[in-house]
Amino acid sequence: MAFRLKLVPDETKINFFQWQWLTFGVSAVAMLGSIILIFTMGLNFGIDFKGGTTIRTESPTSFEVGEYRQALDGLDLGDVSITEVFDPTFGESKHVAMIRIGTTDETGSVTPEELNKVEAALKTVDPQVSFAAVESVGPKVSGELIKTAFYAVGAATIAIMFYIWLRFEWQFAIGAVVSIFHDVLLTVGIFSLFQLKFDLTTIAALLTTLGYSVNDTVVVFDRLRENLIKFKNMALVDVMNLTVNETLSRTVMTALTTALALSALYVFGGDVIRGFVFAMLWGVFVGAYSTVYVAKNIVLWLGVKRDWSKPDPKEVKDEIPAAFRDAP
Amino acid sequence: MLHIPAWKRVLILGLIALGLLYAMPNLFYNRVESHNDAIVNMERSGVETPEDLAARAGWPDWLPSGLVNLGLDLRGGAHLLGEVHVTDVYKARMDSLWPTLRDALAAERGTIGAIRRVTGPEDQLTIEIGNPDQLARAVEIARGLATPVASISGAGQTDLDIKGSGNRLTVQLSDAEKAATDDRTVQQSLEIIRRRIDEVGTREPTIMRQGTDRILIQVPGIGSAEELKQLIGTTAKLTFNPVVGRGVDANARVGVGQVVLPSMDEPGVYYTLEESPVVSGEDLTDARPSFDQNGQPAVDFRFGPAGAKRFGAYTSSNIGQPFAIVLDNQVISAPVIRQAITTGSGQISGAMDVEGSTRLAVLLRAGALPAQMTFLEERTIGPELGQDSIDAGRLSSVIATVAVVAYMIASYGLFGVFAAFAVIINVILILSVMSMIGATLTLPGIAGIVLTVGTAVDANVIIFERIREELRRGKRVVKAIDDGFSEAMSAIIDANVTTFIAAMVMFFLGSGPVKGFAVTLTIGLVTSVFTAIFLTRLLIVLWIDWRKPKELVL
């Protein structure tokens, strides 16, 4: 017998509904907590959504954030925040800071003169500093970006729901959408909790999370539909338990391969996309959880129409000759 | 069906070979890039320099030379989102309509009375007439000047919207004409920006229209958005106007049709000029940097036939008089006409350095922007940061692939090897498709590829888990594999279609990084379904044909 890494035994008989009130309660509390966090702590919007200017500086010598702040204090720039970026991939001679300057006027971006002053001021405290990236977004655009981001997440949800409704039943569509909401909300909640930068790339991560979570859910639903036809007299809850047990190995495998790949990106991918990767990594775990503990529970509560006198319409077509199909 | 017909095998392997071929140029990125640049250079200039020929020889012409386009975040460069003030043009249109309308109305002064333009909104022409009871006649005359709108959406409408009330006649552009004008203004701005950027010879700029009045400009390799802004933000409106007087008062009283403009290199000096120019920048056919007789940087220019004729006529009848060369509402110089200039060429000199004269020549050649632009978004990404990101992306992709491959082999043994092989081919296919269609790889795009590596095995996992189940039920090897594939199919399709939907939404609604990510995600989906279903199956079938296994441990 050759060696096989098996994280999940061949046959599992876990009753996933045994603790359904607890798991569902955890989900509900987490969702509620996320909402509270978002409204109390807010999100750390990046300049994409807030407008303003960010400057990424790089210097071969170490510096004090305080020095930078002092250098910029006299310039009357309004809301300035300076953070030092630490990253394991940086060498000894790489010291990075992010400077964010809030919007100053209607057009939003910091004027070139102001930018030159900022650069000159920083050069006086740190002559070797260089400016790796300068980005500015006006408030007009940032407002639109927020809007389109919301539209994107909303449209994707609706499109996916529609597809599932077509392919399965409306109960499945509702179950999938609730689990999407669950995942997206929890991900945004994490961003609020740790005050991670929330910008356009975060939206891309959210949409991917959404795609991944649905992907996961659909695989289970697909099996559930198959089992519903196969075991016509089994109680719905038992069919569901059977289905999840059958697909558990796959759910865990895929979540792990994806998590493995993303972890590599998280550790070695540099600080520029770390927030983005974190969102996806978190989304993979939440997505796997919601597949097992959220989506099906909703379907169970809604109940699925299992009218035995009329089996799956597809099979009816196959079995009854065309001539009799319309007969009563 | 475990039997795969020969033509299908050839097709699968052929597609993969094609993918490998098209992905290959990316291994020799710099060589292929200079090869491509050299070809473009030679085409543009029509000159074959030894350097270009050498660069071109660095990569065989008959091999594919498409490369994955690196996004600004990976290569460094500048990004600008500009908004064109399309309404600027309305005012100009109204101002130019006024003399014609005045003359048309003046011809019937007897019936409609005295006419006078009064101040009103900038995009309107407001006229008062002497006999209010003849307003209908005035409106009729004005309507006679309107022409049909030349656009599909505005078919059947005229370009002017004319209303009369009391003794007032208001004329403005009709909505259809406004829309058509807006469109033309943006198109024209786009064209001028493209010419200005092409003139300085940067590589592969992206200049795109976005929405109704926005233009997105991305230029890789340029130092900063500031430089880019200077290049395209300057209006470069050149005119030659008759000089009325010269003084030091910025608010000097002037007659009708005259303006006061400052001198560019003499502070505090103002010129009073006739507002309507003798010749303007539109008449230029060529402008190039040169040096004047004192060795100072200058710009040589040449007029087209019509401009040359007008300029010749004006200079011959105004010998001894000064005329002003005006650039963007500043007087560059006001030389005295010594003799008639009939050759249609001339020189602008003034306080400028070589760089300045080069830039002025570029700007003059490209023409003036039809309307002002404001910049809503600017991004500069330094080349070092881009290189760091590429390195980080490459390292993490390799590590991610190795980790996933190891995990798959540990879990599924030989079948894991098949799946791992499919995943690697998948990444190569993604790169080859991106090279073929010239898609842009961004940093989130790299994340998209890495994520694809993670999820690409999903289809294989679904299939393998299914085969395991079939084997547990005691099915024979071939039957179990066959059933495993066919049973897993619907789950794989549903799962990928839903992800595809999300990717499409990202592509159509997203911008910037979201879009870049959607592109790689979509390509990755298609290639991963192909490799997971066709390639893995082919490998398994080949193995079965070869070993004819009686039993299978999975």
Side-chain angles (χ1 to χ4, degrees):
Chain A
M1 185 84 178
F3 164 77
R4 289 289 181 271
L5 174 71
K6 280 188 183 167
L7 296 163
V8 177
D10 281 347
E11 303 267 356
T12 53
K13 286 202 168 56
I14 305 166
N15 181 3
F16 286 98
F17 290 90
Q18 193 174 9
W19 308 104
Q20 65 164 318
W21 294 111
L22 181 68
T23 55
F24 215 74
V26 168
S27 287
V29 167
M31 282 166 84
L32 197 68
S34 295
I35 294 172
I36 293 170
L37 274 175
I38 294 164
F39 278 99
T40 53
M41 289 179 71
L43 288 166
N44 177 16
F45 284 117
I47 56 158
D48 288 344
F49 293 149
K50 210 173 156 188
T53 302
T54 59
I55 303 170
R56 184 186 169 95
T57 65
E58 279 187 22
S59 175
T61 52
S62 70
F63 59 86
E64 289 285 322
V65 170
E67 284 176 9
Y68 277 20
R69 186 164 292 126
Q70 261 182 347
L72 298 183
D73 256 353
L75 295 180
D76 188 28
L77 293 166
D79 177 23
V80 178
S81 78
I82 305 172
T83 44
E84 188 166 3
V85 180
F86 297 99
D87 195 89
T89 57
F90 293 166
E92 271 295 298
S93 60
K94 191 169 168 184
H95 303 272
V96 176
M98 289 294 285
I99 299 169
R100 198 161 107 184
I101 304 167
T103 47
T104 46
D105 55 8
E106 274 302 295
T107 50
S109 49
V110 171
T111 62
E113 293 79 40
E114 281 178 310
L115 213 56
N116 288 338
K117 272 195 275 179
V118 169
E119 297 189 357
L122 290 176
K123 290 254 190 213
T124 57
V125 292
D126 188 352
Q128 287 177 287
V129 72
S130 65
F131 303 93
V134 180
E135 305 183 50
S136 56
V137 178
K140 190 171 176 184
V141 175
S142 63
E144 288 171 27
L145 289 176
I146 292 191
K147 234 187 327 180
T148 48
F150 265 106
Y151 287 158
V153 176
T157 312
I158 291 169
I160 288 168
M161 189 165 85
F162 186 70
Y163 177 76
I164 295 177
W165 175 59
L166 280 184
R167 284 284 285 168
F168 299 91
E169 301 282 334
W170 64 269
Q171 293 92 337
F172 289 76
I174 303 274
V177 165
V178 171
S179 87
I180 287 175
F181 267 121
H182 173 263
D183 300 347
V184 170
L185 203 55
L186 257 53
T187 309
V188 177
I190 278 282
F191 270 78
S192 178
L193 181 64
F194 294 126
Q195 288 293 299
L196 300 169
K197 196 168 79 182
F198 196 91
D199 56 13
L200 265 187
T201 50
T202 317
I203 296 294
L206 269 185
L207 282 163
T208 317
T209 299
L210 196 148
Y212 179 87
S213 158
V214 165
N215 181 319
D216 216 36
T217 308
V218 162
V219 171
V220 178
F221 279 179
D222 199 86
R223 190 60 173 255
L224 179 59
R225 178 174 55 185
E226 190 184 316
N227 284 341
L228 280 174
I229 298 165
K230 215 191 276 175
F231 306 101
K232 287 178 180 167
N233 297 317
M234 203 187 268
L236 186 56
V237 61
D238 295 331
V239 184
M240 282 188 173
N241 258 329
L242 176 75
T243 305
V244 182
N245 277 302
E246 280 177 347
T247 50
L248 188 62
S249 181
R250 176 262 159 197
T251 305
V252 172
M253 275 292 294
T254 302
L256 271 173
T257 52
T258 312
L260 266 180
L262 288 175
S263 303
L265 203 58
Y266 185 79
V267 178
F268 302 103
D271 66 294
V272 183
I273 49 170
R274 187 148 298 141
F276 174 69
V277 177
F278 175 80
M280 293 206 285
L281 204 49
W282 169 254
V284 167
F285 285 111
V286 177
Y289 172 84
S290 71
T291 301
V292 176
Y293 286 108
V294 178
K296 310 184 290 36
N297 296 44
I298 301 285
V299 179
L300 182 66
W301 287 347
L302 292 170
V304 179
K305 192 180 162 203
R306 301 170 81 195
D307 188 353
W308 309 132
S309 61
K310 279 189 234 151
D312 195 310
K314 224 166 57 192
E315 284 176 22
V316 174
K317 237 182 258 166
D318 292 338
E319 285 165 14
I320 305 177
F324 299 102
R325 211 171 286 160
D326 294 325
Chain B
M1 288 293 291
L2 271 192
H3 175 70
I4 300 178
W7 67 267
K8 238 183 203 171
R9 298 180 186 208
V10 172
L11 190 65
I12 294 168
L13 294 176
L15 276 175
I16 289 169
L18 204 65
L20 290 177
L21 186 67
Y22 274 90
M24 188 181 54
N26 293 295
L27 276 181
F28 309 93
Y29 204 94
N30 291 332
R31 257 162 74 186
V32 181
E33 190 170 48
S34 32
H35 163 90
N36 293 351
D37 287 349
I39 291 177
V40 172
N41 248 342
M42 287 191 283
E43 262 171 22
R44 190 187 283 163
S45 63
V47 184
E48 297 188 342
T49 62
E51 295 86 46
D52 280 347
L53 284 174
R56 184 177 174 169
W59 184 254
D61 279 338
W62 48 271
L63 276 177
S65 57
L67 287 170
V68 174
N69 211 350
L70 295 179
L72 284 189
D73 52 352
L74 294 178
R75 133 176 307 177
H79 162 119
L80 276 182
L81 179 67
E83 189 171 53
V84 183
H85 294 213
V86 286
T87 49
D88 281 3
V89 178
Y90 304 163
K91 178 185 185 296
R93 283 282 295 275
M94 286 300 115
D95 288 346
S96 69
L97 179 68
W98 168 233
T100 327
L101 182 59
R102 182 186 56 202
D103 294 347
L105 291 172
E108 301 207 22
R109 205 189 297 266
T111 43
I112 55 180
I115 43 172
R116 193 160 64 93
R117 183 177 180 186
V118 293
T119 41
E122 282 212 325
D123 59 344
Q124 277 182 9
L125 205 51
T126 315
I127 297 152
E128 278 181 6
I129 58 168
N131 302 333
D133 52 326
Q134 288 300 316
L135 192 68
R137 177 66 194 140
V139 169
E140 195 184 321
I141 294 169
R143 289 223 167 115
L145 294 176
T147 50
V149 176
S151 81
I152 299 165
S153 56
Q157 298 185 51
T158 55
D159 61 348
L160 297 178
D161 190 8
I162 299 149
K163 285 195 193 80
S165 98
N167 63 345
R168 278 193 179 198
L169 183 69
T170 55
V171 180
Q172 59 179 340
L173 294 179
S174 67
D175 288 344
E177 178 62 14
K178 276 182 181 169
T181 304
D182 291 355
D183 194 57
R184 269 202 305 274
T185 309
V186 177
Q187 283 300 341
Q188 206 180 333
S189 305
L190 204 71
E191 196 43 51
I192 285 164
I193 290 169
R194 191 187 311 280
R195 269 190 272 158
R196 286 181 182 182
I197 291 173
D198 278 350
E199 288 278 357
V200 292
T202 40
R203 155 196 303 149
E204 299 156 29
T206 310
I207 303 160
M208 267 188 333
R209 183 174 177 168
Q210 235 176 31
T212 51
D213 57 356
R214 293 195 181 159
I215 295 176
L216 175 75
I217 306 146
Q218 291 188 323
V219 184
I222 200 166
S224 73
E226 206 42 52
E227 252 174 70
L228 190 56
K229 245 162 70 174
Q230 277 182 359
L231 186 65
I232 58 178
T234 331
T235 346
K237 190 165 185 227
L238 182 75
T239 53
F240 296 84
N241 303 48
V243 176
V244 179
R246 183 188 141 118
V248 289
D249 184 6
N251 301 309
R253 285 176 57 89
V254 293
V256 177
Q258 294 179 349
V259 282
V260 178
L261 294 178
S263 166
M264 188 183 261
D265 40 355
E266 300 165 283
V269 175
Y270 294 87
Y271 287 89
T272 305
L273 309 173
E274 290 288 346
E275 199 175 6
S276 58
V278 179
V279 195
S280 68
E282 284 102 74
D283 292 307
L284 285 181
T285 52
D286 191 21
R288 55 182 68 246
S290 68
F291 295 93
D292 65 8
Q293 65 267 44
N294 301 322
Q296 292 302 307
V299 174
D300 282 344
F301 60 84
R302 178 176 293 281
F303 291 124
K309 210 165 144 195
R310 258 182 291 146
F311 199 60
Y314 177 77
T315 47
S316 59
S317 59
N318 286 284
I319 292 175
Q321 298 288 317
F323 76 99
I325 302 173
V326 181
L327 180 70
D328 293 337
N329 292 324
Q330 281 188 311
V331 178
I332 296 185
S333 64
V336 172
I337 302 165
R338 306 229 176 274
Q339 59 189 73
I341 304 168
T342 50
T343 51
S345 61
Q347 193 180 56
I348 305 169
S349 56
M352 52 185 161
D353 52 10
V354 177
E355 206 179 308
S357 70
T358 312
R359 221 181 65 210
L360 181 58
V362 166
L363 294 175
L364 290 178
R365 253 200 316 267
L369 285 172
Q372 264 213 306
M373 272 180 90
T374 40
F375 295 101
L376 305 173
E377 204 184 304
E378 313 172 26
R379 294 172 200 261
T380 306
I381 291 115
E384 297 86 16
L385 183 63
Q387 191 55 49
D388 286 354
S389 298
I390 293 185
D391 294 344
R394 192 179 287 154
L395 176 70
S396 47
S397 306
V398 169
I399 292 174
T401 311
V402 169
V404 170
V405 164
Y407 182 58
M408 284 302 281
I409 295 175
S411 299
Y412 297 114
L414 183 64
F415 276 36
V417 175
F418 294 155
F421 181 72
V423 163
I424 291 164
I425 293 289
N426 180 33
V427 173
I428 294 172
L429 286 184
I430 295 175
L431 291 178
S432 77
V433 174
M434 291 186 76
S435 306
M436 268 187 256
I437 64 174
T440 302
L441 183 68
T442 57
L443 195 52
I446 291 183
I449 292 181
V450 172
L451 183 71
T452 312
V453 169
T455 48
V457 293
D458 181 53
N460 281 131
V461 170
I462 295 177
I463 295 166
F464 294 170
E465 289 296 324
R466 228 26 215 254
I467 297 175
R468 271 184 180 173
E469 279 177 50
E470 303 298 333
L471 287 172
R472 276 203 296 273
R473 286 196 193 123
K475 283 195 188 164
R476 304 276 298 274
V477 174
V478 173
K479 178 81 176 132
I481 292 174
D482 205 11
D483 288 354
F485 267 100
S486 53
E487 298 275 330
M489 218 46 198
S490 98
I492 292 171
I493 287 171
D494 280 336
N496 282 293
V497 169
T498 46
T499 315
F500 184 73
I501 291 173
M504 283 293 105
V505 171
M506 277 194 243
F507 184 79
F508 286 111
L509 288 181
S511 59
V514 180
K515 213 168 200 147
F517 184 69
V519 171
T520 38
L521 189 63
T522 310
I523 297 173
L525 270 178
V526 176
T527 56
S528 75
V529 170
F530 170 77
T531 51
I533 296 175
F534 295 103
L535 181 59
T536 328
R537 174 153 35 178
L538 180 63
L539 292 174
I540 293 174
V541 169
L542 289 175
W543 173 74
I544 288 175
D545 286 351
W546 175 47
R547 298 303 295 259
K548 307 221 174 348
K550 283 273 171 294
E551 63 174 39
L552 172 66
V553 179
L554 195 65

